[in-house]
Amino acid sequence: GIVVTMLSVIVLIPLASVLVYSLQISPKEFWELIFKENVRNAFLTSVGSSFLAAVINTVFGLIVAWTLVKYEFPGKWLLDGLIELPFALPTAVAGITLSKLYSDTGFFGRTFAHLGIRVSYTRLGIVIALVFVGLPFVIRAVQPILEKMDGQYEEAAFMLGADPKTTFFKVILPELRPALLTGFGLAFARGIGEYGSVIYISGNSAKNKTQVVSYVIMQKLSYIDYASATAIALVMLILSFLILLFVNIVQLKQSQRTNLL
């Protein structure tokens, strides 16, 4: 009873309220709202930037996890601890810091500006912010699998004449694929709903198409337009459920594969 009550208060009732408020507008008004230019562009920006950031995180997250597991070097414990920084750091602080660093006069942005590349207040800045908040998901999903992986598989591949490249893609990567897909899905889901870290670096310009969905929802709430805000939130909720369903299917298939082995 306590579990059901807590689950209802914290999860089920808030989710149900999103659906109830969304039903206050007709289906026609709902689709007109979703396909409105600024809302449509916000979804494209959020989903596109989150997908690209998740792909980048998958590649570099694997590299970082591999380095932490396979190599010993001074300061390894410190680097391993810093992986958790995006979880502990308030996202607004991260957003302000990143927007300053990558502005045209910032430490990193100054170099990019000389090359004719603007980062802050562009979609590129959004991707960088989402890479920052999403990288730990991939690293922490892959790291335990690498630590538990039996080195005999690699030795057997080398003894059979496989080079390091073939060993990685044919022996190691198939074992890491479920963890990589899980980390990708979690980073992707986090990016779609991210607010604090992107709100400053994005610039929130409808003209430049740098508004994200979470900002549009806050904009609707500031206008006391709860029905529109919850309608947009409902679409985000559906996207999040689909991504989590994908993650659960990947984990289920991996569990079945492990049991068969």
Side-chain angles (χ1 to χ4, degrees):
I2 294 174
V3 172
V4 173
T5 301
M6 292 299 296
L7 184 64
S8 299
V9 171
I10 297 175
V11 179
L12 298 180
I13 294 177
L15 294 182
S17 67
V18 172
L19 181 61
V20 170
Y21 275 110
S22 300
L23 294 176
Q24 292 182 358
I25 59 177
S26 65
K28 180 182 178 181
E29 291 173 328
F30 177 83
W31 291 114
E32 287 178 351
L33 170 67
I34 297 304
F35 286 100
K36 208 173 175 181
E37 185 178 5
N38 69 315
V39 178
R40 185 180 69 250
N41 289 336
F43 271 109
L44 291 174
T45 298
S46 290
V47 175
S49 300
S50 299
F51 182 83
L52 180 57
V55 171
I56 295 172
N57 280 329
T58 301
V59 175
F60 286 96
L62 173 58
I63 294 172
V64 174
W66 184 278
T67 302
L68 289 173
V69 173
K70 298 293 185 178
Y71 299 97
E72 295 294 333
F73 52 89
K76 176 181 175 179
W77 62 272
L78 179 61
L79 177 61
D80 192 32
L82 288 175
I83 299 300
E84 310 288 348
L85 184 61
F87 291 151
L89 190 69
T91 54
V93 175
I96 294 171
T97 304
L98 289 172
S99 62
K100 178 59 179 175
L101 285 174
Y102 287 97
S103 67
D104 292 343
T105 58
F107 183 78
F108 297 124
R110 191 183 304 114
T111 303
F112 285 107
H114 286 312
L115 299 174
I117 302 173
R118 290 193 64 211
V119 179
S120 287
Y121 318 124
T122 65
R123 288 186 175 183
L124 178 58
I126 297 174
V127 172
I128 290 176
L130 295 180
V131 167
F132 175 78
V133 299
L135 186 62
F137 289 100
V138 180
I139 296 174
R140 292 313 187 208
V142 174
Q143 196 173 359
I145 308 302
L146 279 173
E147 290 173 346
K148 294 178 181 178
M149 186 177 293
D150 194 340
Q152 292 181 354
Y153 295 115
E154 296 178 60
E155 294 175 3
F158 288 137
M159 290 178 65
L160 292 173
D163 56 31
K165 182 180 178 182
T166 303
T167 302
F168 177 77
F169 284 102
K170 296 294 185 180
V171 178
I172 299 174
L173 190 59
E175 294 296 320
L176 296 178
R177 189 178 296 119
L180 286 171
L181 290 174
T182 298
F184 170 86
L186 293 174
F188 186 30
R190 169 68 185 270
I192 291 177
E194 183 60 26
Y195 179 77
S197 63
V198 299
I199 198 67
Y200 298 102
I201 200 171
S202 67
N204 308 312
S205 172
K207 179 181 178 182
N208 296 327
K209 300 178 182 179
T210 60
Q211 290 183 344
V212 293
V213 179
S214 52
Y215 173 78
V216 174
I217 292 175
M218 288 298 299
Q219 202 175 42
K220 296 293 183 183
L221 290 174
S222 66
Y223 296 151
I224 321 298
D225 189 359
Y226 296 115
S228 297
T230 51
I232 299 171
L234 178 62
V235 178
M236 292 185 66
L237 185 63
I238 293 172
L239 286 173
S240 298
F241 272 128
L242 291 175
I243 295 171
L244 289 177
L245 178 63
F246 164 76
V247 171
N248 287 330
I249 290 174
V250 169
Q251 292 177 338
L252 178 62
K253 288 188 174 182
Q254 175 63 11
S255 176
Q256 292 173 344
R257 179 174 177 275
T258 303
N259 291 335
L260 288 175
L261 294 176

